[in-house]
Structures are given as structure tokens and as C-alpha cells.
Amino acid sequence: MTAHHEPKPQQAAQTIASLRDALRAGNVQAVTQVTALVTGTQAPEVVQALALHAQERDGRALHDWARALLRAGDTQPLADVLARLVLGGQLQQPAPQRFNTATAPSTSHAPAAPYAPYTPAATLGYWAGVLQAALVSAAPDESARGKLVERLLAYAASLADATPAGRQWRMLNLDSNTARKMSPDTRLSNAMRPLAVKGIRANGEPDVETADESGPFSAFMGAARRVREGLERNAR
């Protein structure tokens, strides 16, 4: 029996980039192929490789993949990528710790800037730009978009329940009373900014605060902005 080997992140990114035209056309086979490549434990490495790929710094291939899924009402693959970018491929890394991690520049990517040294935060920002643009493109109507976001976050929460780190993220970022009062678009944005408990209030409820530091947050916002601007340029 032949062993199954997953392609390396750079190989997966190259394959996804080669499917740009098919994804733009909504080709079902191309969408299925990308889903297999970008979801699962390898998601953080594949999305990072795409963010650093010369042809994919604007997120076009992932945008068109995500848009096709959203138009079909399939939010599960997108939720899988979101949860794994927040919590790591195995869903076991606390969200604040992962977001604030500074990593050494990778010799396998050239250039690594502007994603180093806050690679996890910047890669998550790249995905944020892709996902938010795809949602607007697939569902211009705010009500319809809100329903998609709710389903996406519900599935992300179900995935997160598999680990202690995931349950903490779900409790603070997805299921809190504060989060549920937000608009769907704001809930999605806040799902990607980790929260931490800084104490317990007099009424017994946890007192939470945003747990992202200035450097990682700048990397996150900068990556999201570059994707949005790149997608807008290509749409003209």
C-alpha cells in the first residue's frame, strides 16, 4: 500500500496559485482541490506560504475559493482555517500566546518581510483580509452576510471545543455576552483578536481585555490592509 504524503506548504501554495483562473470561474473541482490543500492541521503553514507567494500576496486565489464556498453556503472549510490560524494546526495553542509570538525569519521563504517576526499574527491578518472581502463579495446584503458569519463562527466554536485552549477562545471570543451583542461583522473581527481574563469582577463575571501587543497587532492590521488594497486594485 502506498503511503499518503501531504504536499509541503510551498508546493500546496504553488498548486493553489496555479488554480487562480479556475477558482475565479467558480470551478467546482478547483474549489474541492483547494479545500483539501488548505484545511486541516497544515492550514497555518499553507496560508503563510500563500501570503509570501509572489503571485498571491493579494490573496486572490483564497478569496475566490472562499467566495465560491460562501455562495454555496458552505462555511465549514473557512471556519476550519480560521480556528487553526487562531489556535495552531492542532488547535492546542492559547490564542494570546500564538498571536503574540515572534518567530525567526524562515529561510524557506524569500522575502519573509513584512510578515516576520510576528508571523502568526500577520498570517491571521492576511486571512482576515481575504475572508472579510469574500464575505462582502458573496453576500452584499448585510442580513445574508450575518447569517453566514453566524454559521462560520458556530462551526469554529465546535472545532475549538476539542482542546482546552480552544474552549478558552470560544468562551472569551465567541460565546461571551459581549460578543453576542456585536454585529456579525464585528464578531468576526473580534474572533481574531485574542482576549484574556485579567481578573474577576465583583459580580463574579470575568474581566477580560484584549491580549494582543502593539507589534503583533500592527502586523495583523498591516497584512489585512495589504490584502484589501490588493484585491481592490485587481477588481478595477
Side-chain angles (χ1 to χ4, degrees):
M1 182 180 292
T2 303
H4 173 72
H5 297 288
E6 289 184 349
K8 293 181 179 179
Q10 292 80 11
Q11 293 172 333
Q14 186 60 44
T15 299
I16 292 169
S18 73
L19 295 170
R20 284 182 77 152
D21 291 343
L23 291 167
R24 183 170 297 183
N27 180 277
V28 174
Q29 289 183 330
V31 172
T32 300
Q33 187 174 355
V34 172
T35 298
L37 289 170
V38 81
T39 56
T41 57
Q42 75 277 16
E45 289 75 21
V46 174
V47 175
Q48 179 190 343
L50 281 165
L52 298 170
H53 190 285
Q55 293 178 314
E56 287 304 318
R57 290 175 192 165
D58 64 356
R60 171 55 60 185
L62 276 190
H63 170 274
D64 291 343
W65 167 72
R67 181 178 60 185
L69 288 173
L70 290 165
R71 285 176 172 172
D74 185 2
T75 59
Q76 291 191 7
L78 310 179
D80 183 275
V81 174
L82 170 62
R84 295 183 193 280
L85 287 177
V86 170
L87 300 165
Q90 301 289 346
L91 304 172
Q92 293 180 350
Q93 195 171 359
Q97 174 186 319
R98 178 171 175 80
F99 191 93
N100 293 323
T101 296
T103 56
S106 172
T107 58
S108 62
H109 296 93
Y115 290 90
Y118 300 113
T119 307
T123 304
L124 181 59
Y126 175 87
W127 175 243
V130 164
L131 182 55
Q132 289 166 335
L135 279 160
V136 171
S137 180
D141 177 75
E142 187 174 355
S143 176
R145 187 165 67 249
K147 291 177 182 177
L148 287 171
V149 170
E150 289 290 344
R151 288 169 55 191
L152 191 157
L153 293 179
Y155 188 71
S158 71
L159 285 174
D161 267 340
T163 67
R167 288 191 289 274
Q168 181 81 349
W169 174 61
R170 176 185 57 75
M171 180 184 73
L172 296 178
N173 281 81
L174 304 181
D175 290 347
S176 70
N177 289 332
T178 301
R180 290 192 175 278
K181 293 176 183 176
M182 298 173 180
S183 69
D185 288 341
T186 303
R187 281 192 70 194
L188 181 62
S189 298
N190 278 28
M192 302 186 210
R193 290 193 64 183
L195 298 175
V197 177
K198 65 177 182 179
I200 302 297
R201 295 174 179 164
N203 62 4
E205 294 182 356
D207 186 11
V208 299
E209 64 180 356
T210 304
D212 50 10
E213 299 172 3
S214 59
F217 180 62
S218 294
F220 172 85
M221 294 299 292
R225 184 184 65 253
R226 282 188 292 274
V227 168
R228 288 195 302 269
E229 291 174 350
L231 290 171
E232 287 171 3
R233 283 195 300 272
N234 282 330
R236 292 170 190 158

